[in-house]
Amino acid sequence: QKTVGLALFITLVAMGTRLALPYLLGLAIDRAILQKNLSLLHLYALGYLALQVIYWGASFVRIRLTNRMGQDVLRDLRRQLFHHVQRLSFDFFDGQPAGRILVRLTNDVNALNELISNALVNTLGDIFLLLGILAMLFYLQPHLALASLVVLPLLMWASTGLRLRIRRAWQAVRIRLSAINSHLNEALQGMRVTQAFRQEEANSFFFRGLISRYYRAYMKATRE
C-alpha cells in the first residue's frame, strides 16, 4: 500500500511538472522574449531546466516503483498458483494437458505484468493530466475549454471502442500462443511415441497450422 501511494504521488508530481512546462514556456515568450528582458529570460530558462530535471527524476522513480510493485504482486501470485496446483486432484490433471497448465502458470501470469506495472498507474496519470489540462484551459481560455468539452465525449467513445478491439485482438494472440506452447510441451514429452508411429509429418502439419493461426492473430492485433 505504501508503494502504491508513493507511486501515485510521484505520478502526480510528474504530471504536474509536465503541465507546468508549456505554461512556463508561454510566460517566457510573453514576458521575457517579447519584452526583450534578458535577465528575466535567464530566470525562466533556469526554472524550465529545473522542472525538466524534476520531471525526468519523477518519471524514473515512477517506472522503478511500478516495476517493483508489479513484480511483487506477480511473485506472490506465482507462489499461490503453484501451491494451488499442487493441491488439485488427479482427475484435474487427467483432464488437462500439462502444456495448458504450464501456459497458465507462465504466459498468463506474465500478461498481468503490463497491467499491474504500467496500465493502472499510467491510466491514473492520464486522468490527472487530462483534468489538469482542462483546469488550465478554463483558467486561460474558458471559451476554448467549453468547445473542447463538446468533442470530449465523442473522443472518449471512440477511444473506448478502439481499446476494446485491441484488447480482444491481443487476447486472441495469447490464446494462439497458449496453444503453441501447449502443443510443444506435449509433443516433446511424447516424441518417442510420435517417432515410433511415424507421425512426424502429421505432427509438423498440425504445428504449422498453429503457428499460421498465431501469425494471423498477431498481424491482426498489430493493425488494430
Side-chain angles (χ1 to χ4, degrees):
Q1 293 180 352
K2 292 182 179 180
T3 304
V4 175
L6 183 58
L8 292 177
F9 173 75
I10 295 297
T11 301
L12 284 175
V13 172
M15 294 303 103
T17 52
R18 186 176 176 183
L19 288 171
L21 285 170
Y23 181 72
L24 185 62
L25 185 60
L27 291 178
I29 295 174
D30 295 336
R31 299 181 181 181
I33 296 178
L34 295 180
Q35 301 297 327
K36 298 181 180 180
N37 191 333
L38 188 59
S39 60
L40 186 59
L41 180 61
H42 289 162
L43 291 177
Y44 280 124
L46 290 176
Y48 190 88
L49 179 60
L51 287 178
Q52 282 283 11
V53 172
I54 294 173
Y55 175 70
W56 291 334
S59 299
F60 175 78
V61 174
R62 179 181 62 85
I63 293 173
R64 293 290 298 270
L65 286 176
T66 52
N67 286 336
R68 178 181 177 182
M69 179 176 61
Q71 290 303 315
D72 287 343
V73 173
L74 293 180
R75 179 192 58 194
D76 295 338
L77 181 60
R78 289 190 181 100
R79 183 170 58 244
Q80 293 176 12
L81 283 175
F82 186 73
H83 178 71
H84 175 71
V85 167
Q86 292 186 108
R87 298 169 63 90
L88 294 174
S89 63
F90 292 141
D91 294 336
F92 173 81
F93 291 101
D94 290 339
Q96 294 290 334
R100 183 176 300 175
I101 299 174
L102 180 63
V103 168
R104 293 293 181 267
L105 294 175
T106 54
N107 292 359
D108 289 358
V109 174
N110 289 333
L112 295 174
N113 184 39
E114 181 68 21
L115 173 64
I116 299 172
S117 299
N118 295 318
L120 293 177
V121 177
N122 286 343
T123 300
L124 291 175
D126 291 340
I127 293 174
F128 294 147
L129 183 62
L130 177 61
L131 293 177
I133 291 174
L134 289 176
M136 293 187 67
L137 278 176
F138 274 107
Y139 174 72
L140 298 173
Q141 293 289 340
H143 298 293
L144 181 61
L146 290 174
S148 64
L149 288 179
V150 174
V151 298
L152 185 60
L154 180 61
L155 292 176
M156 293 183 64
W157 175 79
S159 64
T160 301
L162 178 62
R163 186 164 57 249
L164 289 175
R165 291 200 305 270
I166 293 175
R167 184 173 64 183
R168 286 194 293 265
W170 285 107
Q171 183 179 10
V173 172
R174 289 194 296 271
I175 291 174
R176 301 303 183 190
L177 183 60
S178 173
I180 291 176
N181 291 334
S182 178
H183 178 73
L184 281 174
N185 182 74
E186 295 170 9
L188 292 175
Q189 289 184 353
M191 189 59 67
R192 292 178 181 271
V193 177
T194 300
Q195 293 176 349
F197 288 92
R198 298 185 180 275
Q199 293 296 310
E200 295 92 345
E201 188 61 32
N203 202 19
S204 297
F205 179 79
F206 181 76
F207 185 71
R208 286 196 297 270
L210 289 177
I211 59 177
S212 296
R213 287 190 288 272
Y214 171 79
Y215 174 81
R216 290 193 295 269
Y218 186 90
M219 296 306 297
K220 180 181 178 181
T222 57
R223 290 193 298 268
E224 292 292 343

